[in-house]
Amino acid sequence: MAIDAVCLTAIVAELRPRLTGLRVDKIQQPARDQVVLLFRGKRLLLNAGAGAPRLQLTEVLRDNPAEPPMFCMLLRKHLSGARVAGLTQPPLERLVKIEFDASDELGRAGKRTLVLEAMGRRSNLILLDEEDRIIDSLRRVDADMSAARQVLPGLFYQPPASTGRLPFLEETEAGFAARFADAPAEKTLDGFLLDAYFGLSPLMARELAFRAAGDTDTRVFQMEGPAPLWRALEDFQNRIREERFTPVCLLRDGKPLDFACVPVGQYGEAAECVVHDSFSQLLDAFYAAREKQERARQRGADLLRAASTARDRLRRKLALQEKEYAATQDRDKLRVQGDLITANLYRMERGQSRLECENYYEDNAPVAVPLDPLLTPQQNAAKYYKRYAKAKTAEKYLREQMALARRDLHYLESVLAEIERAETEADFLDIRSELREAGFLKKQGKGKKDKSRPAAPWEFRTASGLRVQVGRNNRQNDKLTLKDADRRDLWLHTQRIHGSHVILRCAGRAPSEEDVVQAALLAAWFSQARESGNVPVDVTEVRNVKKPAGGRPGMVVYTTYRTVNVTPEESAVEKLRVK
């Protein structure tokens, strides 16, 4: 969900005393829509993404690009070393201003303001000078994009236009009664609130309707009067004025559904209300998984497109080869037709379009052999023999090409699975390099070298303390299994399902069954079967794993194995992770 104005008010109230007076030590821009201001012991995240605009203190470490974006460099120029002077929010607006005491290159004191507009797809992050003139913004808005309001360097900052509705905090009991009396009788209570007032989110409008009538679908005509709904609204007003906020996360089937700044009861037993210690902690928990997927989607978009295009091309090529291969299996018919023409040369004349004769291969059954009337009988026979020889040669060639195509198709599907599991910038750089070496991406120019350092394998420990390593990509899988692992270590992989190689470091002793099951859990989690139950995982010693000749990265064959069935769970995986 997009953050609403009331939740933003609660967050600003929480952050104001914790940030005021702090000095900006570092500035990072880990993603296109995210900026992180680092203070001593604190990280302030400002997210201007369309799906999750917000500001919060965060404990999540984010990977930064190799080269900082231009907006990040601009912020470093103006805000490095600046101190937070205050946080302000216009009443019930999804807009926050962070004011800084800064100094210019000559050491002269000045003011800078960073404005976060948390307004869905129109979200933005704007840097202002002491005269409220725009220095620059994360997203520039020109006249072609918006005739009403431009956001461009040099212009004076103008806040977004008001909707014209009455802010619900300004409503009185008499005014509410008059509006309620004029409301359409068929209107739902939450619909009435959203149409009449500014600053309410759909979630809170439904919650107020539920508190007033016990049902979110109650209509105006079903109420005996405005009093119950007014009392619910008045209580909400008082909570905001007195800053009595509660960071509440709603979970459905253990997954984040929504969040609010007051307890929510409209879902009943269909959702669980979890209270967090702070709004920053709540937002970290709520957006962690979603943000991880979004970062992966943005960073891996070109890789995903390249691998998907190559895979689809291979599928079409393989389908054509299989069709041609099936045609070669009927080649004996061509040889028979050539033999029949040769056996009946004495009966034939040039210009015939077909030969009707007896097929002595099939008990002299009558048969008609098509002929080219422009060729002689001998040339027609030679043509059928040539097509037969060509089909015979093509069978061998196609069999080899189909094997290569299936190998590459299997490899590309494993790469697509890697992209889904990738988490960091280094992961994507490794996959990009792997695709270049495999020939599915264009190689860099002669003067360019990939200076990136490969990411280390994921590290885990079993309950008994044994070390478990999980490969991040195909090249790392090869290195982990074929070079780094001891021959006596255990190797695990999902059975006939794309996934990471998992090495259980046995340290010269026999692992317990619990150790094996926990390592198998990791193999299932880091595979395409992550969302499945009862996943089969093959277990064998590293000595039994070999690289086939000509195999693509990550491809191995193994013998003498046993199979363990496990059901992957994120909570169990996180317990094993080395922090």
Side-chain angles (χ1 to χ4, degrees):
M1 64 163 284
I3 198 166
D4 65 30
V6 180
C7 280
L8 198 57
T9 301
I11 294 167
V12 170
E14 177 181 282
L15 295 180
R16 188 181 291 116
R18 301 184 66 182
L19 294 179
T20 303
L22 294 185
R23 179 179 178 273
V24 179
D25 293 329
K26 291 183 180 180
I27 301 173
Q28 300 171 343
Q29 190 175 347
R32 182 184 61 187
D33 300 323
Q34 294 180 354
V35 168
V36 177
L37 304 183
L38 284 82
F39 307 95
R40 182 171 295 179
K42 293 182 175 66
R43 295 185 191 87
L44 178 66
L45 170 68
L46 298 110
N47 191 318
R54 66 194 187 278
L55 81 162
Q56 62 168 108
L57 292 176
T58 180
E59 297 295 328
V60 178
L61 297 176
R62 292 167 171 81
D63 296 299
N64 294 301
E67 296 184 4
M70 291 299 296
F71 188 68
C72 180
M73 296 296 289
L74 179 79
L75 293 179
R76 289 177 180 177
K77 175 184 176 181
H78 289 273
L79 299 183
S80 290
R83 292 188 181 275
V84 178
L87 278 77
T88 59
Q89 177 196 12
L92 298 182
E93 292 283 357
R94 288 180 294 169
L95 183 152
V96 178
K97 292 184 177 180
I98 308 176
E99 298 169 352
F100 296 90
D101 292 327
S103 57
D104 61 17
E105 295 89 341
L106 301 177
R108 293 174 298 192
K111 297 283 186 181
R112 293 290 182 270
T113 304
L114 195 56
V115 182
L116 173 66
E117 297 179 350
M119 301 177 180
R121 62 185 178 84
R122 293 182 288 115
S123 297
N124 208 344
L125 197 58
I126 306 167
L127 181 64
L128 310 179
D129 65 13
E130 52 201 5
E131 298 177 348
D132 275 355
R133 196 185 295 272
I134 298 172
I135 298 174
D136 209 343
S137 61
L138 199 61
R139 294 186 183 86
R140 295 182 179 182
V141 181
D142 58 23
D144 292 335
M145 300 170 67
S146 173
R149 177 176 179 260
Q150 288 82 52
V151 181
L152 295 171
L155 299 180
F156 283 102
Y157 176 74
Q158 298 293 332
S162 173
T163 62
R165 289 173 292 164
L166 178 71
F168 77 89
L169 283 176
E170 299 177 12
E171 184 59 288
T172 62
E173 185 174 2
F176 183 84
R179 290 175 185 274
F180 190 85
D182 293 337
E186 292 292 333
K187 196 76 173 178
T188 59
L189 296 184
D190 63 317
F192 157 69
L193 292 172
L194 291 173
D195 289 346
Y197 299 106
F198 170 73
L200 283 174
S201 68
L203 173 68
M204 288 315 306
R206 291 195 306 272
E207 182 62 21
L208 294 176
F210 175 79
R211 293 182 181 185
D215 192 344
T216 57
D217 295 326
T218 302
R219 302 182 182 276
V220 170
F221 77 88
Q222 295 175 303
M223 300 291 290
E224 294 182 359
L229 188 58
W230 166 249
R231 284 195 297 270
L233 181 62
E234 185 181 34
D235 178 67
F236 190 45
Q237 288 176 334
N238 292 334
R239 275 182 171 271
I240 297 170
R241 293 187 183 112
E242 298 166 11
E243 294 188 355
R244 290 187 288 118
F245 301 117
T246 305
V248 173
C249 185
L250 300 170
L251 303 180
R252 177 177 288 170
D253 299 328
K255 296 182 180 179
L257 171 67
D258 217 328
F259 62 86
C261 60
V262 296
V264 175
Q266 60 186 277
Y267 294 104
E269 296 182 357
E272 178 188 1
C273 280
V274 177
V275 178
H276 288 263
D277 295 334
S278 68
F279 282 98
S280 292
Q281 184 191 81
L282 162 66
L283 294 173
D284 263 352
F286 187 86
Y287 285 110
R290 183 185 300 183
E291 193 175 86
K292 178 180 172 183
Q293 292 172 355
E294 179 64 18
R295 287 200 306 272
R297 185 190 67 78
Q298 290 179 0
R299 290 174 176 171
D302 60 331
L303 293 177
L304 189 64
R305 183 166 54 253
S308 298
T309 300
R311 179 200 61 188
D312 295 342
R313 188 185 301 120
L314 268 176
R315 282 177 175 173
R316 292 192 295 270
K317 180 180 178 181
L318 185 59
L320 290 174
Q321 288 174 339
E322 288 173 343
K323 186 177 180 181
E324 292 176 11
Y325 183 81
T328 64
Q329 302 307 296
D330 200 27
R331 65 180 181 274
D332 282 341
K333 181 179 178 182
L334 298 173
R335 180 180 57 79
V336 169
Q337 288 173 320
D339 288 348
L340 292 177
I341 293 173
T342 303
N344 289 277
L345 285 175
Y346 69 95
R347 299 172 52 187
M348 298 174 62
E349 295 179 359
R350 184 167 185 161
Q352 286 183 235
S353 60
R354 66 177 184 172
L355 167 65
E356 295 183 358
C357 61
E358 293 77 27
N359 186 354
Y360 51 81
Y361 286 102
E362 296 181 2
D363 298 328
N364 292 324
V367 64
V369 181
L371 301 173
D372 186 343
L374 299 179
L375 302 178
T376 65
Q378 291 86 347
Q379 288 172 331
N380 270 293
K383 181 179 178 181
Y384 276 108
Y385 286 136
K386 185 177 181 179
R387 287 173 61 191
Y388 169 76
K390 185 178 179 181
K392 188 175 181 180
T393 303
E395 180 187 30
K396 180 183 177 182
Y397 172 79
L398 286 169
R399 190 185 298 116
E400 294 171 354
Q401 292 301 307
M402 286 162 59
L404 292 174
R406 291 192 183 102
R407 181 202 67 178
D408 288 349
L409 186 59
H410 185 272
Y411 168 70
L412 286 170
E413 287 173 347
S414 72
V415 170
L416 289 168
E418 283 178 28
I419 296 172
E420 289 180 7
R421 295 192 299 273
E423 296 178 352
T424 66
E425 186 75 18
D427 290 340
F428 291 106
L429 289 173
D430 285 348
I431 296 171
R432 192 183 306 278
S433 177
E434 179 184 328
L435 285 173
R436 282 199 188 103
E437 288 185 6
F440 294 106
L441 279 181
K442 290 183 179 179
K443 293 190 176 180
Q444 294 176 311
K446 292 182 180 179
K448 296 181 180 179
K449 290 186 178 179
D450 189 359
K451 298 180 181 179
S452 60
R453 185 176 298 175
W458 285 299
E459 292 278 347
F460 299 87
R461 285 200 181 275
T462 65
S464 66
L466 289 184
R467 185 182 175 200
V468 184
Q469 290 183 294
V470 180
R472 291 173 178 265
N473 52 65
N474 283 320
R475 289 198 306 179
Q476 196 174 89
N477 286 338
D478 277 355
K479 184 175 182 296
L480 190 59
T481 301
L482 305 173
K483 293 184 179 180
D484 297 346
D486 187 276
R487 298 177 72 250
R488 296 165 295 175
D489 290 338
L490 289 186
W491 179 89
L492 302 93
H493 194 282
T494 44
Q495 188 179 86
R496 299 177 183 177
I497 300 170
H498 294 297
S500 296
H501 292 201
V502 175
I503 301 296
L504 176 59
R505 300 284 190 173
C506 299
R509 61 187 175 93
S512 67
E513 187 62 22
E514 183 184 9
D515 292 328
V516 174
V517 169
Q518 288 176 345
L521 186 71
L522 294 171
W525 179 256
F526 290 99
S527 76
Q528 287 183 320
R530 173 176 290 191
E531 302 297 329
S532 305
N534 204 32
V535 180
V537 177
D538 290 340
V539 185
T540 186
E541 288 188 337
V542 171
R543 73 179 84 220
N544 299 322
V545 183
K546 308 296 180 187
K547 184 80 174 175
R552 287 288 193 185
M555 292 185 181
V556 294
V557 293
Y558 53 94
T559 56
T560 319
Y561 63 91
R562 67 187 180 100
T563 303
V564 177
N565 291 291
V566 294
T567 298
E569 293 180 2
E570 185 174 9
S571 58
V573 170
E574 291 304 317
K575 288 180 182 178
L576 303 176
R577 191 183 294 273
V578 175
K579 304 297 183 183

